[in-house]
Amino acid sequence: MNENHKCCAGPEWAEYLHSEVLPAVTRDVDLGSELIEVGPGPGASTEWLHDRVQRLVAIELDPEAAATLATRFAGTNVEVLNADATALPFPDDSFDSAGCFTMLHHLPTAGLQDQLLAEVLRVLRPGSVLVGSDSLHSVELHHFHQDDTYNPIEPATLLTRLQTLGYEQITLSVGYAVTFIAHKPH
């Protein structure tokens, strides 16, 4: 991540996630007792989610971010793993729910985004749910991501991509960002 992403550890970003994004994508969703979150970064979404499940496993690719997150949530119900979410280290049907918030655009190709979404589907239990959000393409965000990976999700293709991977009961919402809810078939 470039230096601009320091704002993602700030209170304004956390407030946005806590007041707008997370309540919207979880309003009518049963998260169950065990949730996997991929790409939590500094943990703004982790902070909100960990009070709503018994166990939260956060998968963070960046070793420094994972270590910071592990220290931050030490002694809680959050387990932080420094791992690649495109190859999750869990057996099939391990979690009741999954979340990914404003991180898919950091994967350099649509193929890797789909691989991550397929891995999440694999580790979800039948009938479980993926909730997520991501930024929409803009010139401002392109400049914000200078010298960083920036591959924004195209909302018009996300429904088909999720269906092709095997998700069902998919809800997409497009506003200032794209939010999505998708279920693993029973």
Side-chain angles (χ1 to χ4, degrees):
M1 304 278 168
N2 67 20
E3 290 295 311
N4 293 335
H5 283 86
K6 287 183 179 180
C7 70
C8 296
E12 294 86 8
W13 180 251
E15 175 59 27
Y16 166 70
L17 286 174
H18 297 183
S19 65
E20 294 185 40
V21 175
L22 292 160
V25 296
T26 62
R27 181 178 5 236
D28 299 319
V29 171
D30 179 6
L31 295 175
S33 62
E34 296 182 293
L35 180 141
I36 184 169
E37 181 184 11
V38 294
S45 50
T46 311
E47 181 68 40
W48 192 89
L49 290 165
H50 92 279
D51 289 330
R52 288 157 174 83
V53 294
Q54 290 178 353
R55 175 179 178 235
L56 190 155
V57 176
I59 304 296
E60 177 55 51
L61 181 62
D62 179 81
E64 187 177 314
T68 301
L69 204 59
T71 299
R72 178 178 174 189
F73 288 100
T76 71
N77 64 333
V78 177
E79 175 187 352
V80 179
L81 295 178
N82 177 217
D84 182 351
T86 64
L88 292 170
F90 300 101
D92 296 357
D93 307 330
S94 294
F95 294 93
D96 299 316
S97 57
C100 67
F101 303 97
T102 318
M103 58 74 59
L104 287 171
H105 67 269
H106 286 288
L107 295 168
T109 67
L112 284 173
Q113 292 169 349
D114 288 349
Q115 187 174 335
L116 180 145
L117 293 168
E119 274 294 281
V120 168
L121 182 65
R122 181 185 66 75
V123 302
L124 283 173
R125 293 183 179 112
S128 295
V129 65
L130 164 65
V131 293
S133 67
D134 216 311
S135 306
L136 296 176
H137 178 267
S138 72
V139 172
E140 294 82 16
L141 283 177
H142 177 74
H143 292 299
F144 180 88
H145 287 85
Q146 182 177 350
D147 300 323
D148 195 358
T149 300
Y150 180 56
N151 181 29
I153 296 286
E154 174 53 54
T157 65
L158 185 56
L159 175 63
T160 303
R161 289 170 66 185
L162 290 168
Q163 288 173 324
T164 300
L165 292 169
Y167 288 93
E168 65 180 23
Q169 298 177 23
I170 301 165
T171 304
L172 299 176
S173 178
V174 180
Y176 294 108
V178 60
T179 58
F180 50 93
I181 302 165
H183 294 80
K184 182 172 182 171
H186 288 279

